[in-house]
Structures are given as C-alpha cells and as structure tokens.
Amino acid sequence: MTIFYVVQHGEKERLPGDPGLTDLGRWQADRTAVWLGRAGVIAVFSSPMRRARETADAIASVISAPVREDPRLRKRMNWDGSQSFEDFLIEWAASARDRHFVPQAGDTSWQAGERFRSFLRDVPVELGVVAVCTHGGVTVDLLRSLAGDQALAPQLLEGIPPCAITTLQDQVVLDIASVSHLQ
C-alpha cells in the first residue's frame, strides 16, 4: 500500500513559460514541507516544471531525500506566451468541459489524467508514503479519472489552491485539496 500526498505547487509568479514561486509560494512550500515531514513522507517526486520543482525541493530539504522528476507529472497545458492569455483561457475552459478536447499545445484532460495514473502505478510500493509535487489541472484530471466528475466540487475545475494536498491510498481518493496545514 502506498500513500500519496499530491501537492499543488506553491503560488507562482504570473508570467508565461516556466515561472518560479513567489515569496508567498516559498512560504507555502516550506509550511507544506514541515507538515509532510511529520506525516512520514520518505520520497519526493516532482513535475520538471520550475514551480513544482521548487516546492519539491522544500519538501526534500525537510525529509533529507532527493527529488525524483517525472515528466508524467507535468501540466496538461502551459501558457508559454505564444498565444494571448485570453485565448489560452478559452482553450483551458474547453479542455475542462470536454475531456477529449485537443488544445493547440498540450494534452487532453483524459490523456493527462491517464499519464498521472500511469505514474502512480509505477511508484515502488516499498516507498510507502510519498509526496508528489505537480499542478492543479493535472491533479483534477487524475481525480476525474479516479473518482469521476461527481466527486469533485465544481470550483476545483477552476483551480486547486496553492500547496493544497490531495491524499490517495494507492488509487483511492481519501481527501481532496486540503489546505488546513497552511493555517
């Protein structure tokens, strides 16, 4: 049995491409890291994107473990500035409504959820309790695949709060987007 603490990265800078965390985002990551250390996390996996990696680095420093990057934890779609932000948001909304919508750049919601699911299946069971630093959209895509749309609060389709923790036991959803550790 594996417990996964799926962590939305901390608050990021509002820039296209691969921005890092804000000062608040670093504080959120540090606070989350302390909580996860107390929860017995022994391994950390991360999306290769900077904001997720910075969040993972905070956790890794608390538990004294290396960060393992996995490209399957990347975003479904990432605004890189090649299109207007408004056009990006239109595509994002379309991909949230229709899980098979193919955006100009990125994966369908269904593909992203299955990509994340394949990551979960491949994590060695002997790790036991792991942190997975990733992005809100792909976390929602995973939750839609595991539990169905009816299990999600409608506001989650619009975004998961920074450093929120979703808890899974293997592929069973135990808790969604908790931020109690930040209070």
Side-chain angles (χ1 to χ4, degrees):
M1 174 181 72
T2 305
I3 298 294
F4 294 99
Y5 291 111
V6 179
V7 180
Q8 158 74 357
H9 59 74
E11 181 184 83
K12 68 178 178 100
E13 297 171 339
R14 296 263 180 220
L15 300 169
D18 193 10
L21 299 177
T22 64
D23 288 341
L24 174 60
R26 283 187 286 284
W27 177 86
Q28 292 165 334
D30 290 343
R31 189 84 179 226
T32 302
V34 169
W35 188 91
L36 290 169
R38 290 182 186 139
V41 167
I42 63 167
V44 184
F45 292 86
S46 178
S47 158
M49 299 195 79
R50 183 175 167 201
R51 53 200 174 265
R53 180 60 197 243
E54 288 178 2
T55 303
D57 286 342
I59 298 164
S61 70
V62 168
I63 66 166
S64 300
V67 175
R68 304 175 200 192
E69 286 187 12
D70 194 303
R72 293 174 290 182
L73 300 173
R74 72 185 184 282
K75 292 183 64 66
R76 170 185 359 127
M77 297 169 56
N78 187 54
W79 180 56
D80 62 6
S82 64
Q83 67 184 139
S84 73
F85 189 62
E86 293 75 24
D87 287 345
F88 173 80
L89 290 177
I90 289 168
E91 282 204 334
W92 182 269
S95 69
R97 278 189 311 275
D98 176 0
R99 295 205 64 205
H100 296 283
F101 173 82
V102 180
Q104 286 182 32
D107 295 332
T108 68
S109 169
W110 184 84
Q111 289 169 323
E114 290 306 305
R115 174 169 35 86
F116 199 152
R117 200 177 203 171
S118 77
F119 162 81
L120 295 177
R121 285 191 295 265
D122 290 348
V123 171
V125 173
E126 61 272 9
L127 291 179
V129 182
V130 301
V132 181
C133 296
T134 188
H135 310 273
V138 72
T139 299
V140 169
D141 297 334
L142 172 69
L143 291 170
R144 292 173 85 180
S145 293
L146 293 177
D149 289 352
Q150 70 283 357
L152 302 180
Q155 68 268 23
L156 287 180
L157 294 177
E158 297 171 17
I160 290 182
C163 276
I165 298 174
T166 295
T167 307
L168 308 174
Q169 181 178 347
D170 296 318
Q171 292 190 38
V172 176
V173 180
L174 301 179
D175 191 31
I176 298 174
S178 172
V179 291
S180 62
H181 60 285
L182 296 175
Q183 298 166 3

